[in-house]
Amino acid sequence: MVITFEGIDGSGKSTQVDLLAEWLRMKGKKVATFREPGGTIITEKIRTILLTKGAEELSDKTELLLFLAARNHLITTKLIPLLETDTIVVLDRFSDSTLAYQGYGRGIDLDVIQQLLKFSVNQLVPSVTFYIDMCFTDAVNRLVSSTKKLDRFESLGEDFFDKVRNGYIELQKNDPNRILSISGNKTIEEIHSFVTKELERKFSSLI
């Protein structure tokens, strides 16, 4: 089983990944969590390239291909072996991020991205995706109030993130059975409760 969390930067995905993993372990499940890009030595190096603001800017196509390369490596080296041992995998981002950020945000043709995703993800589709919806203003206020320095994506601005958010909303409308949406303005506890209740409703025999 693969469970993914999606949303714009600052929406609270990482917190919910950790809470869900703890909840599943308390129920006696084997759980592994990963962030994208990341999770291996190679993919963490790709993450650094993608998120670091530098003098040499990446083209949109280079950015897309680096994300896909990192995802394929994570799937091949980590996810498939774990899934074969009945481990529940919880991901902070997956293919929907590519469609939202590089497709709707950057403007790369969605059909091209879909074809590249088919090639790179080994037919791996999340069992369920939780999309935490939040507007740019609320998300950036969270990011600015934190102590961490804004990375390359977090610094892109309102116009870009409005496109990304609208992309996520469109993706959810097109796949409402898999992608479940909740407002990121709810409390951490309310979002976690929504996640666990939906998992128990949809996968009562597994959870």
Side-chain angles (χ1 to χ4, degrees):
M1 181 184 231
V2 177
I3 302 167
T4 60
F5 284 84
E6 295 284 357
I8 66 172
D9 298 78
S11 59
K13 298 178 285 67
S14 301
T15 298
Q16 294 302 323
V17 167
D18 292 340
L19 287 173
L20 177 58
E22 181 182 356
W23 181 79
L24 289 167
R25 289 184 181 114
M26 288 178 63
K27 295 176 76 68
K29 305 298 181 182
K30 292 188 293 183
V31 185
T33 65
F34 298 95
R35 64 180 182 177
E36 275 218 350
T40 74
I41 294 174
I42 289 175
T43 54
E44 288 294 336
K45 289 180 179 179
I46 294 175
R47 180 184 183 87
T48 299
I49 293 170
L50 284 164
L51 300 189
T52 301
K53 291 184 286 186
E56 184 178 0
E57 186 55 67
L58 300 174
S59 73
D60 293 347
K61 290 180 181 179
T62 300
E63 177 184 283
L64 167 64
L65 293 170
L66 284 172
F67 273 113
L68 295 174
R71 181 170 301 130
N72 178 266
H73 186 69
L74 179 66
I75 290 171
T76 303
T77 61
K78 297 287 187 178
L79 303 194
I80 291 177
L82 284 166
L83 292 170
E84 289 175 347
T85 65
D86 295 326
T87 299
I88 296 175
V89 174
V90 184
L91 298 175
D92 184 344
R93 299 198 181 283
F94 197 59
S95 295
D96 294 304
S97 280
T98 305
L99 291 165
Y101 276 74
Q102 283 69 52
Y104 289 92
R106 296 297 196 192
I108 298 176
D109 188 289
L110 291 172
D111 290 334
V112 172
I113 295 178
Q114 289 282 19
Q115 289 300 313
L116 290 171
L117 286 171
K118 288 180 181 179
F119 173 73
S120 61
V121 302
N122 296 40
Q123 298 182 328
L124 188 63
V125 178
S127 306
V128 62
T129 296
F130 293 100
Y131 164 56
I132 304 176
D133 182 49
M134 179 170 277
C135 71
F136 170 80
T137 302
D138 292 337
V140 79
N141 285 339
R142 283 187 182 179
L143 294 171
V144 170
S145 64
S146 69
T147 57
K148 69 184 287 288
K149 187 177 180 181
L150 297 185
D151 65 32
R152 178 171 164 270
F153 277 94
E154 293 166 348
S155 306
L156 284 174
E158 185 170 5
D159 180 62
F160 175 80
F161 279 105
D162 283 346
K163 293 176 183 177
V164 173
R165 183 191 182 198
N166 290 334
Y168 273 125
I169 292 171
E170 191 67 23
L171 291 171
Q172 195 276 329
K173 287 180 181 178
N174 293 335
D175 197 356
N177 291 324
R178 176 178 66 85
I179 305 176
L180 307 180
S181 177
I182 185 170
S183 171
N185 291 314
K186 292 183 178 294
T187 67
I188 291 173
E189 293 76 16
E190 287 173 331
I191 296 173
H192 177 60
S193 177
F194 171 80
V195 168
T196 56
K197 286 178 180 177
E198 286 298 319
L199 286 175
E200 289 177 328
R201 180 182 67 84
K202 291 174 71 68
F203 307 103
S204 58
S205 62
L206 298 174
I207 298 299

